[in-house]
Amino acid sequence: DLLLSGGIDSPVAAFLMAKRGVELEAVYFHSPPYTSERAKEKVADLSRQLSLYTGGFKLHVVPFTEIQLFLFDSVPHDKLTIFLKRAMTKAAEAIALDNFSQALITGDSVGQVASQTMHGLDSISSAAEMTILRPLCGFDKQEIVDLAKKIGTFEISIRPYEDCCTVFVAKHPETRPKRSVIEKIEKSLQGLDGLIEKAVSDREEIFF
């Protein structure tokens, strides 16, 4: 299952995996009122474009507002992005297990943003037991942009509607988080697992 945002990277990751014959479904995290219906429509249009290469596409839209607000109030702000991505990873894994999927796929590229340092990726990866594939890890941004233009997703991705990641981004994110510290804090968060389970069960499924 692909973690699909409205950005440039994750649709390209989807295309690369589809090119290798991997059957895909996608998970999008929607946070109204912080993200608009236009942001959701953008992801739907990306899914529609990707379906040209996959021969069909299912999009799971997960309501994420409660989880984001809970984490915003509960964790150190410099670590917020890591916790948000861990929650997304846990939710995506739960959906993937429901679908009998064998791996998660993300659009991460090493060093591109603060949460994509080696330390950050390690701290996020430990949220899941399932294999996480990152086909863009060795790509630079221009290579990703060029491929996005080639597959027809670039012009959709650059529409000015923010996804839930950009709305809650930390002003001074930690770039060298320790997995042990992150996991210790997460264990102390009462109610997070329940919120993730509820979000997964309340998801909307859209077929393309």
Side-chain angles (χ1 to χ4, degrees):
D1 281 28
L2 168 78
L3 281 77
L4 179 64
S5 73
I8 296 169
D9 301 343
S10 53
V12 176
F15 169 77
L16 290 173
M17 296 311 302
K19 189 160 70 77
R20 299 304 305 153
V22 175
E23 186 177 340
L24 297 173
E25 294 188 7
V27 182
Y28 165 63
F29 297 92
H30 190 50
S31 297
Y34 303 100
T35 52
S36 68
E37 283 302 307
R38 291 284 185 89
K40 181 179 173 183
E41 289 169 14
K42 178 167 77 165
V43 172
D45 286 345
L46 286 170
S47 299
R48 192 172 290 107
Q49 182 66 19
L50 289 171
S51 72
L52 299 177
Y53 305 103
T54 61
F57 205 73
K58 184 197 284 188
L59 175 66
H60 302 265
V61 180
V62 178
F64 204 60
T65 308
E66 282 188 81
I67 294 170
Q68 286 196 282
L69 292 174
F70 173 83
L71 290 172
F72 187 82
D73 290 336
S74 303
V75 304
H77 196 67
D78 64 337
K79 297 176 173 61
L80 177 60
T81 303
I82 297 295
F83 281 102
L84 289 172
K85 292 200 170 188
R86 282 180 63 89
M88 291 176 180
T89 301
K90 287 174 182 283
E93 182 177 48
I95 293 169
L97 290 171
D98 277 350
N99 298 334
F100 303 101
S101 298
Q102 295 177 285
L104 300 178
I105 302 162
T106 77
D108 294 320
S109 173
V110 173
Q112 187 165 272
V113 296
S115 64
Q116 292 174 14
T117 61
M118 295 298 284
H119 294 80
L121 293 174
D122 178 60
S123 295
I124 294 164
S125 295
S126 72
E129 295 183 11
M130 188 172 280
T131 298
I132 301 177
L133 302 175
R134 295 182 169 95
L136 299 181
C137 257
F139 284 56
D140 64 35
K141 194 64 179 187
Q142 191 57 53
E143 290 171 319
I144 299 169
V145 166
D146 290 345
L147 193 46
K149 289 178 178 178
K150 182 179 178 181
I151 65 174
T153 58
F154 180 75
E155 292 299 329
I156 302 170
S157 292
I158 63 172
R159 292 178 193 168
Y161 310 119
E162 293 185 324
D163 63 25
C164 57
C165 295
T166 55
V167 173
F168 282 83
V169 68
K171 289 182 180 178
H172 303 288
E174 184 176 9
T175 58
R176 296 170 66 88
K178 290 185 177 180
R179 183 205 293 192
S180 59
V181 173
I182 297 296
E183 291 177 344
K184 183 177 180 180
I185 295 171
E186 192 174 76
K187 284 180 181 177
S188 72
L189 299 176
Q190 299 295 320
L192 177 59
D193 289 344
L195 288 174
I196 292 173
E197 288 177 16
K198 182 177 184 297
V200 168
S201 66
D202 290 345
R203 72 185 184 273
E204 175 187 4
E205 295 181 351
I206 307 172
F207 297 85
F208 298 90

